Amino acid sequence: MPSDSRTSPPARPMRADARRNYDRLLAAAAEAVAEQGAEASLEEIARRAGVGSATLHRHFPSRQQLLEAVFRDKVEALCARAADLAAGPDPGRALATWLRAVAGHAVSNRGLATALMRGAHDPTLGATCHAMITNAGAGLLARAREANAARPDVSITDLLTLVNAICLTVEQEPDAAAHADRLLTLALTGVHPVAAPAESGPHPADATKQNSLPSGSAMTWNAP
Amino acid sequence: MPSDSRTSPPARPMRADARRNYDRLLAAAAEAVAEQGAEASLEEIARRAGVGSATLHRHFPSRQQLLEAVFRDKVEALCARAADLAAGPDPGRALATWLRAVAGHAVSNRGLATALMRGAHDPTLGATCHAMITNAGAGLLARAREANAARPDVSITDLLTLVNAICLTVEQEPDAAAHADRLLTLALTGVHPVAAPAESGPHPADATKQNSLPSGSAMTWNAP
DNA sequence: ACAGAACCGGAGGGCCACCCCATTTTGGCG
DNA sequence: CGCCAAAATGGGGTGGCCCTCCGGTTCTGT
């Protein structure tokens, strides 16, 4: 790849009206996808943008490409976050925090998880976002592994698949964020009891508190 | 609710031709769903069954009801399996085995996971399969919890959601079964490295007494 | 055999993705 | 400034899907 950054380094810098319509479409798509998820009607998106449907299909030949464009900035933010976290002192916690952040973005931006997963298994153009996320996470996982905070046999793809799977199926529930976080915690820490399972403790000192409620739970998957 | 058992005790036992078409539709649906997943075209199903589309909609007013009918026997098998496993000596392992079985059915029967999850959050008629599975699993989980082989804060719904989430997103991959099993293991045991990677060492029979060692948990949850 | 109930399926409406091509808009150049 | 070819547009057509009416057909009890 020629390795550029921005939208694209067009040999011919896109005509003014084309760019205008492109931007309108992007905005309309963001809106519609936020409301109706990744399967929002393309025609309605075009309609909202005040543009013919043919124009939409010309700018974004596939739904996937549209989604990628819509979520590009969110994905970049996530990658930046990964870079930040990579500087921290606790690789295990950093990875966990980042995965949680991914989940957070996925639930608060309907369609993101879908876009990511579709990019994962579609060799068709537009797998860029998936690749970006994967790269960003790979670094975090590598450090966690070195610090012996993650099994050597787990790949970043596994982890991200899990996160996306959770977010995908929880996406349309009322309190998606809480549920996703809860399930993610479960997946990261395992099902087995973590510590002395105090049942009737009237004092939810530490463990019990996290047990009963989803909460952010800063708990890493380390046994306390 | 009158709550009966078998398929249904129809006051009027269904006319012969109606039953014939019903069966044809079911067979065609099973075929189409196996090939194309839960979103298979209803019209094509009717077409394959050699039946007008109106007939399909008359017998199965919603897609969900069709899916439920298609998968009913698989779900019953799964419930039976749960009952079998409940008799075993090791509740923790029984639960894990059963969840794996659920995953196995879900990956080898496209659309099952979808049907189950849709039934979960749709109050519309046809949530029977989801309820059956949930009930079956609840018993297993209760025993596992008593044996201290599962955290008290995890619900059967969480577990099944996780299983279905994994199967759903892995469903259309080439080696879905292997991948699903892999991710399920990961989710059940957690990401943290096991202290002593399963070596030739004999099982500590009393791993249930585990207090602080993650290794015990990994053992408990490993595949049979 | 007959009448009425149960059942069927073609036709049609509303919506959608995608494509073709006549028409309009841009932007560089004389 | 005006011209014109290339770039971009969008109305309309095609084919598919889901779902519902409704006139015609088939079954079943007597």
Side-chain angles (χ1 to χ4, degrees):
Chain A
M1 39 175 89
S3 88
D4 196 290
S5 46
R6 316 313 157 213
T7 49
S8 64
R12 210 70 64 80
M14 223 185 196
R15 244 169 63 172
D17 54 347
R19 169 140 212 87
R20 190 164 51 82
N21 283 343
Y22 182 95
D23 291 342
R24 285 189 184 178
L25 281 168
L26 219 48
E31 213 180 273
V33 168
E35 287 173 16
Q36 317 174 10
E39 307 301 324
S41 157
L42 296 182
E43 284 212 339
E44 185 182 323
I45 291 175
R47 223 175 292 135
R48 286 195 199 199
V51 150
S53 65
T55 300
L56 185 153
H57 283 93
R58 194 175 309 113
H59 281 298
F60 306 98
S62 76
R63 182 182 292 270
Q64 179 63 20
Q65 285 179 44
L66 177 57
L67 290 177
E68 297 254 343
V70 165
F71 291 125
R72 172 137 327 186
D73 51 346
K74 316 273 179 185
V75 169
E76 281 170 3
L78 241 15
C79 291
R81 187 79 200 281
D84 282 1
L85 286 168
D90 184 341
R93 189 177 292 255
L95 178 56
T97 302
W98 185 70
L99 290 175
R100 251 177 247 283
V102 174
H105 274 65
V107 279
S108 61
N109 294 97
R110 273 186 97 177
L112 212 189
T114 306
L116 254 21
M117 281 315 296
R118 279 233 259 272
H121 223 274
D122 269 7
T124 63
L125 282 185
T128 335
C129 285
H130 180 258
M132 289 171 67
I133 288 275
T134 301
N135 280 348
L140 249 25
L141 175 58
R143 292 176 57 92
R145 198 179 292 169
E146 283 170 17
N148 195 33
R151 301 190 197 170
D153 67 327
V154 60
S155 71
I156 185 62
T157 303
D158 288 338
L159 258 16
L160 286 172
T161 302
L162 220 35
V163 170
N164 281 316
I166 290 171
C167 293
L168 261 191
T169 87
V170 156
E171 181 168 83
Q172 54 213 27
E173 292 181 9
D175 53 350
H179 199 183
D181 201 77
R182 177 183 160 74
L183 289 180
L184 182 54
T185 300
L186 177 58
L188 292 180
T189 61
V191 170
H192 203 77
V194 281
E199 290 241 348
S200 56
H203 292 196
D206 38 25
T208 35
K209 173 193 242 169
Q210 291 163 349
N211 275 349
S212 51
L213 265 240
S215 81
S217 114
M219 147 166 98
T220 71
W221 46 63
N222 288 317
Chain B
M1 46 174 92
S3 89
D4 197 288
S5 48
R6 316 311 157 210
T7 49
S8 65
R12 208 70 64 78
M14 220 184 200
R15 238 170 67 174
D17 54 347
R19 167 137 216 92
R20 190 165 52 81
N21 282 343
Y22 182 95
D23 291 342
R24 284 188 184 179
L25 281 168
L26 219 49
E31 213 181 273
V33 168
E35 287 172 14
Q36 316 174 12
E39 307 300 323
S41 157
L42 296 182
E43 285 212 338
E44 185 182 323
I45 291 174
R47 224 175 291 135
R48 286 196 200 199
V51 150
S53 66
T55 300
L56 185 152
H57 283 96
R58 196 175 308 114
H59 281 299
F60 306 97
S62 76
R63 174 179 240 106
Q64 179 63 20
Q65 285 180 44
L66 178 58
L67 290 176
E68 297 255 342
V70 165
F71 292 125
R72 172 139 324 186
D73 51 345
K74 316 273 180 187
V75 169
E76 281 171 3
L78 242 15
C79 291
R81 188 77 201 282
D84 282 2
L85 286 168
D90 184 341
R93 187 177 293 254
L95 177 57
T97 301
W98 186 69
L99 290 175
R100 250 177 248 283
V102 174
H105 274 66
V107 282
S108 61
N109 295 97
R110 271 186 99 176
L112 212 189
T114 305
L116 253 21
M117 282 313 295
R118 280 232 260 272
H121 223 274
D122 270 6
T124 62
L125 281 184
T128 335
C129 285
H130 181 259
M132 289 171 67
I133 289 275
T134 301
N135 280 348
L140 249 26
L141 175 58
R143 292 175 58 91
R145 199 179 291 168
E146 284 170 17
N148 195 31
R151 300 189 197 172
D153 66 326
V154 60
S155 71
I156 186 62
T157 303
D158 288 340
L159 257 17
L160 286 171
T161 302
L162 220 36
V163 170
N164 280 316
I166 290 171
C167 293
L168 260 191
T169 88
V170 155
E171 180 168 85
Q172 55 214 26
E173 293 181 9
D175 53 349
H179 199 183
D181 200 76
R182 177 182 161 74
L183 290 180
L184 181 54
T185 300
L186 177 58
L188 292 181
T189 62
V191 171
H192 199 75
V194 295
E199 290 279 343
S200 51
H203 269 224
D206 291 337
T208 50
K209 197 57 186 174
Q210 89 311 355
N211 233 354
S212 51
L213 276 235
S215 67
S217 76
M219 298 286 188
T220 303
W221 288 97
N222 271 343

